């Protein structure tokens, strides 16, 4: 079929250009690595890209090859069938990762595995024909999407991994987790491995069983195949010589007698305490290197909460293992190999000079509110040291007319007000929100200073909480203290002041928030002397109009609903009162059940009228990201910048975006490697079989002139006169409609689709 030929051709072109880019990227690395060999650490893809596709599936292995460094090592957990064939499956029990339990309902057994009676479906009860021809692999990690299972990916044999994939993998790692179990069932891993090594280059063989590694040590070529001893939990007992792994760790010279390296859980190197804080690193890597052993670290997974010290950024986690003052591990075992690929090739040992690219403009959200309570002195100093370009202050007014920085006009949520004596200041203001609240204008400034800040918890429904050690630290700042801090910082280029509820405050509270802001800016010298940019943001055009009459700042219009486009007349109206626009992530890449559905026309349209586009909110917690971004905040930012062509990000973790801007790979221009290329919005959705596709959603509306037109701000009322209104500024729901027209936005995943298409046509 000519379409499939074209797809194969295009696919190989894409891959080969990616590979040549990689090779040149790696040559430019001059910094010596602290690995045993001095070479960059290896990326080992556990079951392929098992973080998104079923473990050991053709799709998982293909995606790993396409999105990783070119010498990525494909990892296969070998299990033996009744007839002695070796298949790849992540566990000795097959039911979680394959369809076996539904096909062979009565074939579950109970066997002793390392002395523990274990119930399940075991490969020893099935022939290769049963497994390879009848069973398919499925997603075995229940927090990951099972939408791809219906693709009926066959179970791969070890031979399949080397023969079925394009491009051919450069390196293969076989993990033999249970030699003794198979021996008890008269199946020989040793024979399997030795005979396989005659037809296939096996680069690495790992096992947690000393006996197994010693049994093959003389039988495979040590230059061709490296034997790696795998450590399990420190208190677990090694089954062949019956010592704990913890005690074997003290006997590295013994390990060296039969292995050239070790594979350890990552916590052996950077332990975490019971509260998930990182402790000082151990001396394991240096000790093992002294003993002549390479060290590989396991358990790199993006979709679990990382130690708080990494601020939920998986690139930061990998970097701590490969780029520190003391050591570098020789490789990392990951379910998301794109992350260590980028960390190793693009982020490690940044060159001192690289000032980075200009895009995106990094604007904080309530300071570094991912790490500290929002809008506190600590959140702002962190944002500054993290490398934010712009720090932000959402201004609220106190009863005594002092403008403050606070994430919301309702103090509940951002402070402990509900537990203080001020809890009786609860009032209702239907123009602001439907339920009651304790509003900033009900407390005077000295009362607000008595409140303790509270760290935000936007993902508590997923049981993901931000750093509890910082839960109540810091102090709130008045706008004038915020401006003093900003003026005194040489690294930031400006401030963003957010103004909401201006009409309500003028009419119902006799407060002019716009005058208060203009006054504070002028007193701080921001109108002319600081050399720093001032951006004023609002969702209400009347606020921007009012500022425009009085000062010459960058006016930023925030579109708070999901849109797919804007009419030309509307954009012309926006240009009347704004210099740039803020939209939600979903107005650029709409989603359906957390899969990107495509690209809207929003950025293109606003750019056609020369309006820069800033996008919110970029958070590091993986639950905030679409599946397409592989639970890696850097992949998301990169895709919005390179694929979505946005001009700036608004983020509660400015460090991640600032460090993204400095990564070395961005300088490679058209030779950018695959792991620093944008994902193609909508292509992952195409890999989902039709019966389980999420139902298409109605597209988002087009922004029209009536959406942006507002009456002018009312005059400030002298007396407080409560008025009934039904207005509400509640946030539009972030999830919702989609089904946008699709535009090419990158290369990376388009090649997966083509690859899968070709696999199915074979
Ligand atoms: C299979 O899934 C069950 C249910 O979540 C889990 O308890 C079990 O540990 C899993 N088994 C394996 C071998 O992963
Ligand atoms: C393994 O082989 C031995 C000797 O041939 C036999 O006695 C034993 O029953 C076999 N065990 C299993 C589990 O098949
Ligand atoms: C290391 O392990 C070997 C084999 O178990 C043992 O003979 C030797 O005594 C151990 N050495 C130390 C220092 O524990
Ligand atoms: C991790 O964070 C905790 C709490 O802030 C701190 O005490 C600890 O020193 C940090 N660990 C490392 C290795 O920096
Ligand atoms: C770094 O900057 C210095 C001074 O501008 C320059 O001499 C040097 O060549 C630069 N090095 C690199 C690697 O760009
Ligand atoms: C704030 O209110 C308190 C009463 O709660 C009062 O004692 C104090 O003087 C007021 N401070 C200011 C600055 O108005
Ligand atoms: C301004 O910054 C300097 C150091 O950069 C610091 O010493 C000084 O205290 C700061 N001033 C204020 C008012 O924060
Ligand atoms: C800065 O602005 C102030 C008040 O707006 C004005 O008095 C002053 O002359 C201005 N300074 C300069 C250098 O333009
Ligand atoms: C809207 O503006 C764009 C960019 O200037 C232009 O290409 C397009 O033709 C305009 N559409 C209409 C309907 O005027
Ligand atoms: C915007 O401000 C105007 C007053 O200028 C007010 O009448 C209108 O309700 C505000 N719009 C929203 C959505 O809050």
């Amino acid at each position: 079929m000519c379409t499939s030929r074209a797809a194969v051709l295009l696919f190989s072109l894409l891959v080969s250009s990616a590979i040549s880019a990689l090779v040149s990227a790696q040559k430019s690395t001059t910094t010596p690595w602290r690995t045993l060999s001095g070479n960059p650490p290896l990326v080992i893809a556990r079951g392929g890209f098992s973080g998104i596709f079923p473990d050991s599936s053709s799709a998982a292995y293909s995606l790993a090859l396409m999105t990783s460094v070119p010498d990525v090592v494909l990892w296969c957990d070998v299990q033996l069938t009744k007839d002695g064939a070796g298949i790849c499956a992540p566990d000795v029990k097959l039911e979680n990762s394959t369809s076996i339990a539904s096909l062979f309902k009565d074939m579950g057994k109970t066997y002793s595995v390392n002395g523990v009676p274990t119930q399940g479906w075991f490969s020893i009860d099935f022939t290769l024909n049963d497994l390879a021809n009848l069973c398919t692999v499925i997603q075995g990690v229940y927090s990951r999407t099972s939408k791809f299972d219906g693709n009926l990916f066959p179970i791969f044999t070890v031979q399949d991994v080397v023969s079925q994939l394009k491009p051919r993998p450069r390196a293969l790692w076989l993990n033999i987790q249970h030699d003794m179990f198979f021996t008890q069932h008269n199946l020989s891993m040793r024979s399997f491995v030795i005979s396989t090594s005659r037809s296939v280059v096996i680069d690495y063989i790992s096992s947690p069983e000393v006996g197994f590694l010693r049994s093959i040590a003389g039988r495979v070529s040590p230059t061709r195949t490296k034997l790696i001893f795998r450590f399990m939990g420190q208190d677990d007992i090694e089954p062949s010589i019956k010592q704990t792994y913890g005690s074997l760790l003290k006997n590295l010279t013994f390990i060296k007698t039969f292995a050239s390296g070790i594979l350890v859980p990552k916590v052996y190197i950077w332990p975490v305490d019971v509260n998930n804080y990182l402790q000082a690193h151990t001396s394991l890597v240096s000790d093992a290197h002294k003993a002549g052993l390479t060290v590989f670290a396991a358990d790199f997974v993006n979709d679990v909460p990382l130690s708080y010290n990494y601020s939920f950024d998986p690139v930061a986690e990998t970097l701590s293992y490969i780029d520190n003052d003391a050591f570098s591990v020789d490789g990392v075992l990951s379910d998301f190999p794109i992350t260590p690929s980028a960390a190793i090739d693009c982020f490690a040992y940044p060159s001192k000079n690289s000032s980075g690219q200009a895009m995106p403009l990094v604007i904080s959200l309530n300071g570094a509110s991912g790490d500290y309570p929002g809008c506190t002195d600590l959140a702002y100093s962190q944002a500054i040291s993290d490398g934010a370009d712009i720090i932000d202050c959402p201004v609220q007014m106190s009863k005594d007319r002092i403008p403050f920085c606070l994430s919301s006009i309702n103090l509940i949520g951002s402070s402990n007000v509900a537990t203080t004596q001020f809890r009786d200041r609860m009032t209702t203001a239907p123009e602001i929100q439907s339920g009651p609240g304790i509003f900033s204008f009900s407390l005077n400034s000295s009362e607000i200073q008595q409140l303790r800040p509270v760290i935000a918890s936007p993902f508590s429904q997923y049981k993901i909480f931000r750093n509890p050690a910082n839960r109540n630290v810091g102090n709130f700042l008045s706008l004038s203290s915020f401006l003093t801090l900003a003026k005194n910082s040489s690294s930031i280029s400006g401030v963003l002041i957010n103004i909401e509820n201006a009409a309500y405050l003028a009419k119902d509270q006799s407060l002019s928030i716009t005058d208060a802001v203009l006054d504070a800016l002028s007193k701080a010298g921001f109108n002319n002397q600081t050399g720093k940019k001032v951006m004023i943001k609002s969702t209400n055009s009347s606020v921007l109009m009012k500022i425009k009459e009085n000062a010459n700042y960058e006016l930023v219009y925030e579109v708070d609903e999901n849109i797919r486009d804007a009419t030309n007349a509307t954009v012309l109206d926006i240009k009347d009162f704004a210099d740039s626009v803020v939209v939600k992530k979903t107005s650029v890449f709409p989603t359906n059940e957390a899969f990107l559905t495509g690209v809207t026309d929003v950025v293109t349209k606003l750019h056609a009228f020369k309006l820069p586009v800033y996008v919110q909110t970029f958070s590091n917690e993986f639950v905030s990201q679409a599946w397409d971004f592989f639970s890696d905040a850097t992949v998301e930012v990169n895709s919005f910048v390179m694929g979505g062509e946005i001009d700036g990000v608004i983020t509660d973790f400015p460090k991640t975006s600032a460090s993204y801007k400095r990564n070395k790979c961005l300088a490679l221009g058209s030779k950018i490697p695959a792991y620093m290329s944008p994902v193609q919005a909508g292509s992952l959705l195409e890999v989902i079989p039709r019966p389980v596709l999420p139902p298409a959603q109605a597209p988002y509306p087009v922004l029209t002139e009536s959406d942006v037109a507002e009456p002018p701000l009312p005059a400030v009322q002298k007396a407080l006169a409560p008025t009934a209104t039904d207005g509400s500024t509640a946030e539009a729901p972030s999830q919702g409609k989609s089904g946008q027209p699709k535009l090419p936005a990158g290369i990376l995943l388009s090649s997966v689709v083509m690859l899968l298409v070709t696999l199915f046509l074979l």
Side-chain angles (χ1 to χ4, degrees), residues 241 243 251 254:
I241 59 169
Q243 293 183 28
N251 201 342
F254 169 59

Side-chain angles (χ1 to χ4, degrees), residues 633-650:
T634 299
V635 175
E636 181 181 50
V637 171
N638 182 50
S639 296
F640 272 85
V641 172
M642 307 245 287
E645 302 191 330
I646 67 168
D647 303 280
V649 294
I650 298 184

Side-chain angles (χ1 to χ4, degrees), residues 400 421-422 425 443-447 450:
D400 53 343
Q421 82 250 37
F422 306 118
R425 308 269 175 97
L443 274 69
N444 72 27
S445 50
S446 49
E447 291 166 339
Q450 294 166 38

Side-chain angles (χ1 to χ4, degrees), residues 545 557 565-578 605-606 608-609 611 702-709:
M545 289 283 198
Y557 182 55
D565 198 354
T567 66
N568 285 6
T570 311
V571 184
L572 286 170
D573 282 358
I574 292 175
K575 273 187 84 78
D576 247 9
F577 55 79
K605 176 60 65 69
L606 293 169
F609 291 89
L611 285 168
V702 173
L703 193 71
T704 61
E705 289 162 274
S706 64
D707 296 325
V708 307

Side-chain angles (χ1 to χ4, degrees), residues 481 484-490:
S481 315
T484 307
L485 177 79
K487 200 162 68 167
N488 195 31
S489 156
S490 56

Side-chain angles (χ1 to χ4, degrees), residues 29-303:
T29 306
T30 51
T31 315
W33 290 91
R34 294 185 182 87
T35 52
L36 189 59
S37 66
N39 293 328
L42 286 178
V43 175
I44 306 139
R46 201 191 62 83
F49 208 130
S50 53
I52 188 83
F53 289 125
D55 194 298
S56 310
S57 62
S58 54
Y61 284 125
S62 299
L63 187 60
L65 290 171
M66 282 186 284
T67 58
S68 309
V69 287
D71 57 354
V72 61
V73 184
L74 297 190
W75 162 290
C76 160
D77 278 292
V78 184
Q79 318 297 341
L80 293 181
T81 64
K82 195 180 196 168
D83 43 350
I87 59 163
C88 301
D91 196 84
V92 68
K93 290 168 41 163
L94 300 178
E95 68 273 18
N96 282 16
S97 65
T98 73
S99 59
I100 195 158
S102 55
L103 282 172
F104 300 95
K105 285 202 173 55
D106 305 325
M107 296 277 284
K109 296 273 171 67
T110 299
Y111 291 122
S112 165
V113 178
N114 291 349
V116 181
T118 307
Q119 203 278 327
W121 277 254
F122 294 85
S123 54
I124 54 170
D125 294 321
F126 301 90
T127 62
L128 177 61
N129 187 53
D130 292 339
L131 294 175
N133 294 340
L134 299 177
C135 287
T136 58
V137 291
I138 58 175
Q139 181 51 263
V141 178
Y142 297 123
S143 55
R144 296 176 183 168
T145 178
S146 58
K147 292 266 179 209
F148 304 114
D149 293 357
N151 284 306
L152 308 181
F153 301 117
I155 292 181
F156 256 25
T157 64
V158 173
Q159 291 285 350
D160 290 336
V161 178
V162 287
S163 63
Q164 295 288 306
L165 301 169
K166 296 189 193 78
R168 291 270 188 271
R170 294 226 200 140
L172 178 66
W173 183 309
L174 300 185
N175 180 53
I176 312 298
Q177 193 69 15
H178 290 291
D179 171 58
M180 290 173 71
F181 170 75
F182 289 104
T183 304
Q184 281 153 18
H185 295 274
N186 290 346
L187 288 165
S188 172
M189 272 293 180
R190 180 170 176 271
S191 311
F192 171 79
V193 163
I194 291 169
S195 72
T196 303
S197 71
R198 295 200 189 100
S199 57
V200 166
V201 177
I202 307 169
D203 298 271
Y204 298 88
I205 295 174
S206 60
S207 179
E209 295 184 5
V210 171
F212 174 70
L213 290 176
R214 290 173 100 174
S215 78
I216 58 167
R219 300 297 310 274
V220 291
S221 155
T223 52
R224 207 157 84 148
T225 304
K226 308 263 182 299
L227 301 186
I228 310 295
F229 181 58
R230 181 178 197 179
F231 284 81
M232 305 308 288
Q234 301 248 12
D235 298 330
D236 294 344
I237 293 170
E238 193 284 339
S240 65
I241 59 169
K242 310 272 193 259
Q243 293 183 28
T244 63
Y245 289 99
S247 67
L248 285 168
L249 194 63
K250 303 194 181 87
N251 201 342
L252 292 173
T253 49
F254 169 59
I255 308 289
K256 179 67 183 161
T257 60
F258 58 87
S260 68
I262 57 177
L263 170 66
V264 297
K266 66 186 179 186
V267 293
Y268 273 53
I269 297 167
W270 281 106
V272 291
D273 67 17
V274 289
N275 297 317
N276 211 16
Y277 289 102
L278 211 56
Q279 299 175 303
H281 66 76
T282 65
S283 61
L284 172 62
V285 181
S286 332
D287 294 347
H289 281 176
K290 267 179 220 140
L293 290 164
T294 52
V295 181
F296 300 94
D299 307 331
F300 288 81
V301 173
N302 294 358
D303 55 354

